[in-house]
Amino acid sequence: MPIDRAAAETFIWSTARLVDRHHYALLFTGGSPQPVIEALRGYRNADGGFGHALEPDLRAPGSQPAATLYALELLHDARALDGEPARAARAWIASIAAPDGGIPFVVPGFEDYPHSPWWQPEPGSFLTFGLAAVLHSGRVQDDRWLDRTTDWCWNAIEAAERPGGYWLKYACAFLDAVPDEERARTAIASLSTRVDPAALAPTGGAEGEFLRPLDLSPHPGNRSRALLTEAQVEAHLDAVEAGQQDDGGWMFDWLAWSPAQTTDSRGNVTIRALTWLRDNGRL
């Protein structure tokens, strides 16, 4: 069922955050990358990391790995991973890394600020995969931390017995981006014997929260598409099309715990839905 593209765009302009509106313009209307970079400055801290609810579920002002990952993803889309904001963010990530390269799920300082219940200290989290993935995707080479964390990622993937949930999502992103294609394809083939990627419930997630095929492998050319069948991808695209709400946007399936978090997250997932549909030939 075709979506209402005009309603979706109206939703973005009326509801999404400024940084996400600029991101939408960059991805869909030929917008300049510079407004994305400028809008990110409001979320940046003096230490080089990002916070201030750039990650909608974590509304503390201090720098956090998840918010810094989102900033680096936006800077990647803006082709600015070699710019000063990205270099400073990478330096901050390196400063909080464990000796083996692993990145914690969250760093201290968030506890007294509004946040969703799943933010709990965890060393060597799946965010390590995501951070390595965005840097490899941007062909970053001058980063000593990236060498260490790439080894961490390989070791974690090869040791995991029953990977699933967000761990698998970000591991797939790493395997799609890491330069060693042969090793990545071997790892994906191994993962295919250990998981069922059709619908994976994250540990501690809300009722009805699942990761689905396009969460794991959003683009047709991804190496991780080997985990999926064409029928699974097409069925998920059908569900994405059917998921457009009456106001033109999309809703997420994790816990909605505050009005600001809900509004901020809906802007993100609406852009995600439109990107999935466009990149897979439905838009």
Side-chain angles (χ1 to χ4, degrees):
M1 180 178 69
I3 67 162
D4 187 336
R5 173 68 183 275
E9 186 161 292
T10 297
F11 178 85
I12 293 294
W13 298 136
S14 65
T15 305
R17 300 177 295 184
L18 177 63
V19 67
D20 295 319
R21 296 199 300 271
H22 285 313
H23 189 213
Y24 173 81
L26 174 67
L27 295 178
F28 288 94
T29 70
S32 167
Q34 194 59 36
V36 176
I37 299 168
E38 293 299 323
L40 278 171
R41 294 186 186 278
Y43 299 95
R44 189 182 178 196
N45 288 307
D47 58 15
F50 288 79
H52 303 282
L54 183 59
E55 161 53 60
D57 283 303
L58 186 56
R59 308 194 73 82
S63 297
Q64 289 291 341
T68 303
L69 170 58
Y70 187 57
L72 287 169
E73 290 172 340
L74 293 180
L75 291 168
H76 172 272
D77 288 348
R79 299 185 179 181
L81 282 181
D82 58 347
E84 191 277 331
R87 288 182 177 276
R90 287 158 45 195
W92 180 78
I93 288 294
S95 76
I96 65 166
D100 64 359
I103 298 297
F105 189 46
V106 66
V107 297
F110 74 97
E111 297 87 350
D112 293 334
Y113 295 91
H115 59 276
S116 58
W118 51 82
W119 293 103
Q120 300 294 332
E122 176 191 340
S125 74
F126 58 72
L127 295 178
T128 311
F129 292 125
L131 288 157
V134 70
L135 298 191
H136 280 307
S137 183
R139 295 183 171 84
V140 170
Q141 296 179 338
D142 57 337
D143 196 306
R144 292 182 181 178
W145 167 79
L146 183 57
D147 294 335
R148 285 188 290 134
T149 202
T150 298
D151 289 340
W152 183 97
C153 292
W154 285 124
N155 291 335
I157 289 169
E158 291 165 359
E161 294 183 2
R162 295 293 294 173
Y166 288 103
W167 189 102
L168 182 61
K169 166 186 164 67
Y170 285 103
C172 285
F174 169 79
L175 293 170
D176 284 332
V178 69
D180 191 340
E181 181 172 358
E182 182 178 356
R183 188 175 181 182
R185 291 194 182 279
T186 299
I188 289 167
S190 176
L191 284 175
S192 70
T193 68
R194 291 181 272 163
V195 299
D196 174 11
L200 297 162
T203 301
E207 183 178 354
E209 179 183 356
F210 289 94
L211 297 181
R212 296 176 174 86
L214 294 171
D215 292 302
L216 305 182
S217 189
H219 306 293
N222 286 158
R223 301 164 188 166
S224 55
R225 278 292 166 101
L227 290 169
L228 307 172
T229 67
E230 190 64 25
Q232 287 173 322
V233 173
E234 291 301 313
H236 189 192
L237 288 167
D238 290 343
V240 173
E241 288 181 333
Q244 187 175 26
Q245 305 292 294
D246 290 343
D247 60 8
W250 274 257
M251 185 58 184
F252 51 90
D253 59 7
W254 58 89
L255 179 66
W257 55 272
S258 85
Q261 171 257 5
T262 300
T263 300
D264 293 352
S265 297
R266 289 196 67 205
N268 294 348
V269 300
T270 296
I271 294 171
R272 182 188 68 179
L274 293 171
T275 303
W276 281 346
L277 294 172
R278 180 197 63 189
D279 292 353
N280 288 275
R282 295 286 189 100
L283 192 64

